[in-house]
Amino acid sequence: MAMIRNKQVLFKDYVKGSPKEEDMILTESVIGSKVPEGSTAILVKNLYLSCDPYMRLMMSDPTEGGHPLFGSFTPGKIFFGFGISKVVDSGSPDFKAGDLIMGDVGWEEYTLIEYTDKVRKIEHADFPLFYYIGALGLTGFTSYIGFYELCAPKKGETIFVSSASGAVGQIVGQFAKLMGCYVVGSAGSQEKINLLKNKFGYDEAFNYKEEDDFVSALKRHCPKGIDMYFENVGGRMLDAVLMNMNPHGRIAVCGMISQYNLTESEGVHNMYCVVQKRIKMQGFLMRDYLHLFPKFTELVVQYLREGKLVCVDDIVKGIDKAPFALVRIFSGHNIGKQVVEIAQD
Ligand SMILES: NC(=O)c1ccc[n+]([C@@H]2O[C@H](COP(=O)([O-])OP(=O)(O)OC[C@H]3O[C@@H](n4cnc5c(N)ncnc54)[C@H](OP(=O)(O)O)[C@@H]3O)[C@@H](O)[C@H]2O)c1
């Protein structure tokens, strides 16, 4: 069987503090151009890779606070995550060469996927393929679940979204505008604030890096208080939000990126507000709601086709640049969904 060159990204070793490009190693190997005889695997060419905050949790030593839910990457082994790929050869009756799929793949040019039960075919090929990493993929799905299922939104209510211009936040804000909410967001640069107000339709936005006192910043920007908080960052921002929540408010806890690089989490001091204000606060993992994926796809496809939803993706080109792409989401250098383009076709 002919062999093909396969550039790969390996995980070097467990990380403490902020991840660096050097925590990943670029290497090259070869892979067979066909699936092994008699196998039901599929061989895919990887086109786009998703860079996600949870990957940092998987870079920690499992014996020193590594994430029990996601597991850890193995030092010296392939880095992996969600991607968009094209089937090159198939031993599975469910897939054929040329099919476009989304699912977990190695950070490499080609992957042999042995277990195809978690792989989904991409149906609407008229959208840019990288949308299936962002708005039409698990990222958009996270926004959809957190907003519609957990925030229990009502027209006219105020929602505050942290990391609002990011992959998840930008979609949440637009869903909320379409529902008739008053939408406020925070982000870490003036460029992102401009995007929130001028592109995603946020009513108000502020740069949290320029605010010493988050409690008063939120009071200024949410004059009627906060009915719903879409939590992406945790730490000090959560504490300040608790002080500004309205009675019977809802907090959808999607993630806490400000804590992922810390050895010890900061702690939250204003939790008593949850009791006093009868707040409903719930964490969620989008993976528990996958049965709603078709409903989500239907809505977002319609919104995109009608021009009601826009998305901003930050595409870095080349597998060699994948480590660079990943680490920039922890310094806030990404503008929108961070994607690595390995190949367009
Ligand atoms: N529950 C789930 O199933 C699920 C699924 C997907 C994602 N998530 C969570 O959703 C959140 C957003 O993910 P995403 O993919 O949309 O990422 P993202 O917002 O596109 O990118 C991460 C952003 O976080 C901000 N950030 C980084 N370090 C920070 C810090 N120390 N304090 C405050 N902000 C910081 C930066 O923006 P600024 O410039 O604004 O600082 C950065 O651009 C994350 O917490 C992630 O873990 C959860």
Side-chain angles (χ1 to χ4, degrees):
M1 186 196 324
M3 303 301 277
I4 22 183
R5 182 199 73 171
N6 195 19
K7 280 196 191 174
Q8 299 180 304
V9 177
L10 307 184
F11 176 52
K12 189 172 176 193
D13 204 355
Y14 298 126
V15 172
K16 284 199 168 111
S18 300
K20 303 178 294 302
E21 286 180 55
E22 303 81 71
D23 294 322
M24 288 154 272
I25 309 166
L26 289 163
T27 184
E28 199 170 305
S29 68
V30 289
I31 186 168
S33 60
K34 299 264 171 218
V35 298
E37 196 69 43
S39 150
T40 55
I42 56 176
L43 176 69
V44 298
K45 179 180 181 188
N46 298 320
L47 306 178
Y48 294 94
L49 301 175
S50 176
C51 296
D52 292 288
Y54 77 88
M55 290 170 155
R56 169 63 189 87
L57 301 171
M58 294 179 66
M59 294 168 98
S60 290
D61 186 335
T63 63
E64 290 178 21
H67 205 280
L69 192 71
F70 299 115
S72 291
F73 294 115
T74 308
K77 298 281 188 207
I78 188 89
F79 211 82
F80 56 89
F82 187 75
I84 304 299
S85 316
K86 189 174 182 174
V87 177
V88 175
D89 188 39
S90 173
S92 159
D94 302 325
F95 298 91
K96 59 178 186 327
D99 282 348
L100 292 166
I101 57 133
M102 50 173 144
D104 271 349
V105 290
W107 275 29
E108 56 192 347
E109 290 175 295
Y110 294 88
T111 300
L112 184 72
I113 303 178
E114 294 195 35
Y115 304 102
T116 52
D117 50 324
K118 293 207 176 96
V119 168
R120 272 170 201 274
K121 271 193 214 174
I122 291 176
E123 284 164 24
H124 308 91
D126 51 325
F127 291 110
L129 262 184
F130 55 82
Y131 275 29
Y132 289 92
I133 293 275
L136 279 168
L138 296 179
T139 299
F141 184 57
T142 303
S143 315
Y144 175 88
I145 294 302
F147 181 65
Y148 291 109
E149 295 293 313
L150 280 93
C151 286
K154 291 185 212 74
K155 190 176 172 184
E157 287 188 323
T158 296
I159 183 169
F160 173 62
V161 185
S162 52
S163 197
S165 72
V168 172
Q170 59 175 261
I171 309 287
V172 173
Q174 294 178 82
F175 283 157
K177 267 324 289 176
L178 286 162
M179 164 91 35
C181 299
Y182 187 74
V183 187
V184 182
S186 65
S189 71
Q190 189 55 45
E191 189 183 357
K192 291 183 179 182
I193 299 306
N194 295 344
L195 208 56
L196 289 173
K197 289 192 179 173
N198 304 330
K199 183 136 187 141
F200 303 132
Y202 275 69
D203 295 290
E204 280 293 339
F206 64 93
N207 180 350
Y208 71 94
K209 289 183 180 163
E210 288 182 351
E211 300 284 348
D212 291 330
D213 181 352
F214 291 172
V215 176
S216 57
L218 286 166
K219 258 191 187 46
R220 254 185 1 258
H221 293 283
C222 310
K224 294 185 178 166
I226 300 170
D227 300 300
M228 299 168 277
Y229 174 39
F230 197 103
E231 164 70 301
N232 283 320
V233 302
R236 273 181 68 207
M237 189 60 85
L238 174 57
D239 257 331
V241 168
L242 285 167
M243 298 297 278
N244 280 277
M245 287 297 290
N246 288 331
H248 301 287
R250 285 87 62 202
I251 301 181
V253 185
C254 176
M256 296 194 171
I257 195 168
S258 75
Q259 308 298 296
Y260 298 172
N261 293 329
L262 306 179
T263 317
E264 255 180 58
S265 66
E266 276 175 327
V268 182
H269 307 280
N270 298 326
M271 281 306 283
Y272 190 70
C273 293
V274 173
V275 182
Q276 206 177 31
K277 301 179 183 185
R278 285 82 93 204
I279 293 167
K280 192 169 177 186
M281 184 171 179
Q282 191 183 337
F284 72 98
L285 289 173
M286 56 80 188
R287 64 157 87 152
D288 295 338
Y289 296 82
L290 286 172
H291 58 284
L292 296 176
F293 201 84
K295 208 171 146 205
F296 148 78
T297 306
E298 197 183 321
L299 181 77
V300 173
V301 163
Q302 183 197 327
Y303 278 167
L304 287 170
R305 291 222 162 107
E306 291 172 357
K308 290 181 175 165
L309 192 72
V310 291
C311 41
V312 170
D313 300 276
D314 193 330
I315 301 177
V316 163
K317 295 192 178 187
I319 181 100
D320 304 7
K321 286 281 189 336
F324 162 80
L326 178 64
V327 302
R328 68 205 294 267
I329 62 179
F330 299 97
S331 57
H333 283 98
N334 63 311
I335 308 271
K337 176 69 200 179
Q338 186 66 63
V339 176
V340 179
E341 180 185 293
I342 305 184
Q344 288 186 350
D345 191 23

